[in-house]
């Protein structure tokens, strides 16, 4: 019985309990793709542990946005060498944050469940090819 690596399960947005069921039914950049399943289709794990649980994902999303904005600003400087135009940086950062919004929404919830939730634990006996 080979277990699914944690990093691969996170990248693929899989259930943190069984690492097999999909947390989101569609792709990140598809229409309606970021609608989150209420329960894991494999093990039945309820993703929203308590009412309002995913409000904490806003803080993770904020940290992702700040890291992306800084990275975009540095990349803009390296590629253009322009320090005179604040409009260039503003447009690049806002456009980048807008384009990365679906990614941030999805992975802020994944990071919250995998790394920041002491109540959620991996169960290797559920990580099998057999249906649960």
């Amino acid at each position: 019985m080979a277990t699914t690596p944690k990093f691969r399960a996170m990248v693929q947005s899989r259930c943190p309990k069984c690492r097999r069921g999909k947390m989101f039914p569609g792709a990140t950049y598809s229409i309606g793709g970021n609608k989150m399943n209420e329960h894991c289709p494999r093990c039945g794990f309820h993703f929203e542990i308590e009412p309002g649980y995913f409000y904490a994902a806003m803080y993770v999303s904020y940290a992702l946005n700040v890291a992306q904005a800084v990275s975009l600003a540095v990349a803009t400087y390296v590629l253009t060498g322009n320090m005179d135009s604040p409009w260039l940086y503003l447009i690049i950062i806002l456009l980048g944050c807008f384009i990365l919004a679906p990614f941030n929404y999805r992975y802020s919830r994944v990071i919250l469940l995998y790394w920041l939730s002491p109540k959620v634990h991996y169960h290797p006996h559920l990580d099998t090819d057999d249906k649960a």
Side-chain angles (χ1 to χ4, degrees), residues 1-10 12 14-20 42 114 122-130:
M1 174 173 82
T3 59
T4 307
K6 185 176 187 177
F7 181 74
R8 190 173 95 191
M10 287 180 69
Q12 294 176 346
R14 302 295 179 159
C15 171
K17 188 174 179 181
C18 68
R19 294 187 186 169
R20 293 290 176 122
R42 292 274 305 205
Y114 271 89
Y122 170 59
H123 295 278
H125 68 278
L126 296 173
D127 191 4
T128 63
D129 290 330
D130 302 331

Side-chain angles (χ1 to χ4, degrees), residues 38-116:
E38 280 190 41
H39 300 280
C40 173
R42 292 274 305 205
C43 68
F45 175 67
H46 187 66
F47 292 122
E48 189 171 11
I49 297 169
E50 54 194 34
Y53 178 73
F54 285 117
Y55 283 120
M58 291 187 306
Y59 299 107
V60 178
S61 180
Y62 177 74
L64 289 173
N65 269 318
V66 169
Q68 291 162 357
V70 169
S71 299
L72 287 169
V74 169
T76 302
Y77 175 72
V78 168
L79 293 174
T80 65
N82 185 347
M83 281 294 287
D84 298 331
S85 175
W87 293 107
L88 173 68
Y89 288 92
L90 185 66
I91 290 169
I92 296 292
I93 290 171
L94 289 178
L95 187 63
C97 288
F98 179 74
I99 290 171
L100 292 169
F103 173 86
N104 289 343
Y105 173 79
R106 178 174 290 221
Y107 288 101
S108 65
R109 289 175 175 229
V110 169
I111 290 169
L112 180 68
L113 280 172
Y114 271 89
W115 285 343
L116 303 174

